Amino acid sequence: MQNMKINIKADAAYKNFKHDITPEGLALAFKWIPDATGLSEVDKELIVLKAREDMEDIWPRAKDQREAMALFQEKTKNIKDPEKLKVYLCEFLLDLSILASTWIEAQEKAGMNASAQRMFG
């Protein structure tokens, strides 16, 4: 496995590799890191719940990216344990990616509906 990683990184095409990120692949990637920590299942679950609550608090309140980042930094400043921070970040980013995907789909639907209305309306 280590040799494979080295070979991929040495390949110049590696950085130019184009691919689509699937929700399943993203979820799996964010699951690997928490599973690799030494935290108990209870600790992981508590951190996951906190990350979800924080995301639900930040998403509607932030007016732009800068404000969202400031709110995010405020929420994470008290997490001193690196293992807990890893779990928190993975869950937070997973939830953010889900919300962002939902937002993009809504924007695309709105665009398609507007096109259909112009075409048939």
Side-chain angles (χ1 to χ4, degrees), residues 58 62 64-76:
I58 291 171
D64 58 22
Q65 294 94 324
R66 287 181 189 268
E67 190 172 327
M69 196 64 221
L71 290 167
F72 173 75
Q73 287 174 327
E74 185 66 29
K75 300 278 185 188
T76 57

Side-chain angles (χ1 to χ4, degrees), residues 3-118:
N3 288 338
M4 192 170 87
K5 286 182 191 172
I6 292 168
N7 290 342
I8 289 174
K9 287 182 181 176
D11 184 358
Y14 173 71
K15 293 189 187 254
N16 298 322
F17 180 63
K18 300 289 181 214
H19 59 282
D20 291 326
I21 297 170
T22 64
E24 297 82 11
L26 196 58
L28 180 60
F30 286 128
K31 188 178 180 321
W32 283 344
I33 293 172
D35 285 350
T37 64
L39 297 172
S40 72
E41 288 302 315
V42 173
D43 282 343
K44 282 194 274 189
E45 201 56 40
L46 289 171
I47 296 164
V48 163
L49 290 173
K50 180 181 178 355
R52 287 179 186 166
E53 287 173 3
D54 290 352
M55 172 55 68
E56 289 171 7
D57 182 46
I58 291 171
W59 184 263
R61 283 181 38 202
K63 294 181 186 97
D64 58 22
Q65 294 94 324
R66 287 181 189 268
E67 190 172 327
M69 196 64 221
L71 290 167
F72 173 75
Q73 287 174 327
E74 185 66 29
K75 300 278 185 188
T76 57
K77 74 178 183 182
N78 295 329
I79 304 173
K80 303 293 183 215
D81 182 348
E83 299 285 284
K84 290 181 178 181
L85 188 58
K86 287 177 199 174
V87 174
Y88 180 93
L89 289 175
C90 284
E91 184 60 30
F92 191 91
L93 292 171
L94 176 61
D95 291 348
L96 180 60
S97 67
I98 292 167
L99 284 170
S101 297
T102 305
W103 183 82
I104 289 169
E105 286 173 12
Q107 295 300 315
E108 288 174 351
K109 269 189 180 174
M112 287 187 283
N113 287 343
S115 295
Q117 286 175 353
R118 282 193 299 276

